[in-house]
Amino acid sequence: MFNYVIDEELKLKLLMPEHARHMYALVERSRHRLRQWLPWVDGVAEQAHLTTFIKNAVKQGSDNGGFTAGLWVREELAGIIGYHEIDWHNRSVGIGYWLGEGYEGNGYMTSACRVFVDYALLELELNRVEIRCATGNTASRAIPERLGFIFEGVIREAEKLPAGYVNHAVYGLLRSEWKLLG
């Protein structure tokens, strides 16, 4: 099971069904801000929706397709980070993440992403990690930029959000590049 202590206040725990109520409370507190960048937020009307999401994430992990973790700050759920389906043939994966209201600007998600990149490239021996985020989401874009990812381009109207379509900035990092950064 993936559990990782980053420091005395920050840890990553594999997301499990018993975390659904914490996740639902965090989404509720952060709904207005999250819906700006995440298309699924308006569809989360009750805790059961997140229980289903978590069960699917656990199944993906058991099928060796990647996993999703909760980011805990001082024993409170602060956000979620996970691998999109691992492409084992091409040895690549995408990372997705979000942070709840009140936890931004402290470097928490950058630290969590660093752990996920290390794990993907060094433990799983993948060759490529990708992060995509809306071009207007400067806070989310700052994370791959801080970690040394290469900006590879823009995918136009890649995602439909409540306010309309947004373009995605694509960032990539290769195993050989990560080793040089380390």
Side-chain angles (χ1 to χ4, degrees), residues 7-87:
D7 60 35
E8 60 277 349
E9 72 172 2
L10 188 62
K11 58 181 82 157
L12 294 165
K13 296 182 199 175
L14 192 64
L15 204 57
M16 301 301 289
E18 59 266 22
H19 298 140
R21 72 179 174 83
H22 299 283
M23 190 172 170
Y24 184 72
L26 185 60
V27 168
E28 279 296 295
R29 286 193 312 272
S30 309
R31 188 175 293 278
H32 178 72
R33 191 180 65 77
L34 293 176
R35 77 181 302 275
Q36 182 180 5
W37 303 116
L38 300 171
W40 53 264
V41 171
D42 288 343
V44 175
E46 57 189 40
Q47 182 177 314
H49 293 135
L50 295 173
T51 301
T52 300
F53 166 79
I54 293 170
K55 286 179 180 177
N56 289 335
V58 170
K59 181 175 180 349
Q60 179 184 348
S62 67
D63 291 344
N64 204 24
F67 56 88
T68 302
L71 174 61
W72 299 80
V73 176
R74 295 178 297 279
E75 303 305 322
E76 289 184 15
L77 184 63
I80 304 295
I81 182 170
Y83 293 124
H84 299 301
E85 188 71 29
I86 296 174
D87 178 344

Side-chain angles (χ1 to χ4, degrees), residues 52-124:
T52 300
F53 166 79
I54 293 170
K55 286 179 180 177
N56 289 335
V58 170
K59 181 175 180 349
Q60 179 184 348
S62 67
D63 291 344
N64 204 24
F67 56 88
T68 302
L71 174 61
W72 299 80
V73 176
R74 295 178 297 279
E75 303 305 322
E76 289 184 15
L77 184 63
I80 304 295
I81 182 170
Y83 293 124
H84 299 301
E85 188 71 29
I86 296 174
D87 178 344
W88 287 105
H89 177 75
N90 292 305
R91 307 215 52 86
S92 68
V93 70
I95 296 176
Y97 48 83
W98 61 268
L99 206 52
E101 185 113 19
Y103 295 101
E104 314 93 331
N106 296 297
Y108 298 142
M109 194 54 76
T110 300
S111 295
C113 279
R114 185 176 287 111
V115 170
F116 265 64
V117 171
D118 266 348
Y119 194 82
L121 298 177
L122 304 178
E123 297 296 320
L124 297 177

Side-chain angles (χ1 to χ4, degrees), residues 136-157:
N137 190 343
T138 55
S140 192
R141 290 184 69 175
I143 294 169
E145 291 169 0
R146 273 194 291 275
L147 293 174
F149 279 64
I150 305 300
F151 174 68
E152 297 178 338
V154 173
I155 300 174
R156 298 174 308 137
E157 296 189 3

